[in-house]
Amino acid sequence: MEAAGMKTRYTLTLILTFVLVTISYFISLQNVHAEDLDSTSQLVKTKYEHILYDKEKGAYFDTRDNGYLPEVVYQVSGGKIIKEVPIEEYLEMAEEDPTKNEFQESVVKLTDKTDTSISPLAGPVVYYRYTESSNVQTRIYGERASKIVENPTSSTVRHAISYSTSYSHEFNVSLGTEAKNAVIASVSYTWVSSASVSETVEMDIPPGYWGYWRFDPLVRKSQGVLKKYNDGFVVSEQNVRVLYPVKRNGQLDGYLVPVQGKL
């Protein structure tokens, strides 16, 4: 009996240790990487989901990049920087999340309605029509678009850093070729399947920091209802959202964001 009791206590100890270690691990995942911050940093939450503010440095910290955002970002149009944008103004801009579900109701609703505006004799037996309800311009959080450059010296160094990136369109639902073509044909702004951009821009990197360019693409966001017809009858309808790139002079438009962190 005594041996059984010792075995039970040993098992409970192991379980408790595992639970404590697990809790500590998940807490650590929610903390910003300490090596990316100054030792005197005092980070506070902001109204922006992924942005903290460092009161000691007087700078914003993006938790997605684990890096600081300097005072200005650059608006890029036609492959060239057209102006500087203060970081506060940039953060106030709408940012689209391609992964979020904006439609609370089911995306597919079967009906038995007939559309009297369409004659089944005028086209194929089965066809699609997309009715757009809105089309707005917004930006999305982009990817690292350059190599990471380090400055291990004791003074600020200006580096010419090349960046390159691309963006293709994204639908919120899986659609066949005919359905996609119906959407593409009906968007109210020029459709662009994909676009890319590349350039070399100088960045001042403080001593003891690393830096790279992130590019946040400008996109059009079209929303509407896609209906499938069979012999003039609506057999299904879907809420559709599609994001597609904004292109000017053959290149992707967007914002060039400098990201920097402690070595």
Side-chain angles (χ1 to χ4, degrees):
M1 292 292 292
E2 183 177 354
M6 290 180 63
K7 184 176 181 181
T8 300
R9 287 194 296 273
Y10 177 72
T11 301
L12 290 173
T13 300
L14 286 177
I15 294 174
L16 179 60
T17 301
F18 174 77
V19 171
L20 291 174
V21 170
T22 302
I23 292 174
S24 299
Y25 171 73
F26 280 105
I27 290 176
S28 68
L29 288 180
Q30 299 178 20
N31 295 330
V32 177
H33 296 178
E35 65 270 19
D36 294 319
L37 306 174
D38 292 339
S39 59
T40 57
S41 293
Q42 295 184 23
L43 293 178
V44 295
K45 291 182 178 180
T46 69
K47 63 180 180 180
Y48 314 108
E49 182 178 0
H50 302 287
I51 304 297
L52 303 176
Y53 186 73
D54 187 331
K55 295 190 295 184
E56 292 293 324
K57 287 179 63 65
Y60 291 97
F61 187 90
D62 195 326
T63 59
R64 296 169 295 188
D65 296 305
N66 285 312
Y68 287 100
L69 306 180
E71 294 180 356
V72 297
V73 302
Y74 304 101
Q75 184 176 352
V76 175
S77 181
K80 302 295 181 182
I81 291 175
I82 60 172
K83 69 175 182 177
E84 295 183 351
V85 180
I87 186 62
E88 289 82 6
E89 179 181 332
Y90 166 79
L91 293 175
E92 283 291 332
M93 296 176 184
E95 181 179 289
E96 183 68 23
D97 181 359
T99 64
K100 73 178 179 182
N101 180 15
E102 300 181 64
F103 309 111
Q104 296 181 353
E105 60 189 29
S106 174
V107 297
V108 178
K109 297 181 293 184
L110 297 180
T111 72
D112 58 359
K113 298 178 182 178
T114 182
D115 191 334
T116 56
S117 67
I118 300 178
S119 169
L121 300 178
V125 173
V126 177
Y127 49 95
Y128 297 85
R129 170 175 280 190
Y130 176 65
T131 304
E132 186 179 61
S133 58
S134 67
N135 191 310
V136 298
Q137 181 172 283
T138 184
R139 69 176 176 87
I140 61 173
Y141 169 74
E143 301 177 341
R144 177 166 67 87
S146 77
K147 64 181 182 180
I148 299 173
V149 177
E150 298 180 349
N151 178 17
T153 71
S154 58
S155 59
T156 297
V157 177
R158 173 164 288 192
H159 287 276
I161 306 175
S162 298
Y163 73 90
S164 178
T165 192
S166 62
Y167 180 75
S168 298
H169 60 278
E170 295 182 74
F171 284 88
N172 68 314
V173 290
S174 178
L175 299 175
T177 301
E178 288 186 26
K180 285 184 178 180
N181 288 339
V183 174
I184 293 170
S186 300
V187 295
S188 56
Y189 285 77
T190 301
W191 173 265
V192 178
S193 292
S194 64
S196 60
V197 65
S198 60
E199 187 58 87
T200 299
V201 180
E202 293 184 338
M203 179 191 297
D204 289 330
I205 302 179
Y209 274 72
W210 50 258
Y212 65 79
W213 294 117
R214 187 184 87 205
F215 193 89
D216 290 357
L218 272 176
V219 299
R220 301 295 313 186
K221 172 187 172 184
S222 172
Q223 292 189 123
V225 176
L226 177 68
K227 294 181 180 181
K228 181 179 180 180
Y229 292 86
N230 191 336
D231 280 336
F233 288 88
V234 180
V235 294
S236 70
E237 58 185 42
Q238 286 182 283
N239 292 311
V240 171
R241 180 203 67 211
V242 60
L243 305 177
Y244 58 96
V246 175
K247 183 170 68 172
R248 196 181 310 275
N249 296 332
Q251 299 211 56
L252 177 66
D253 278 5
Y255 291 88
L256 188 63
V257 183
V259 180
Q260 298 178 348
K262 291 280 287 184
L263 288 175

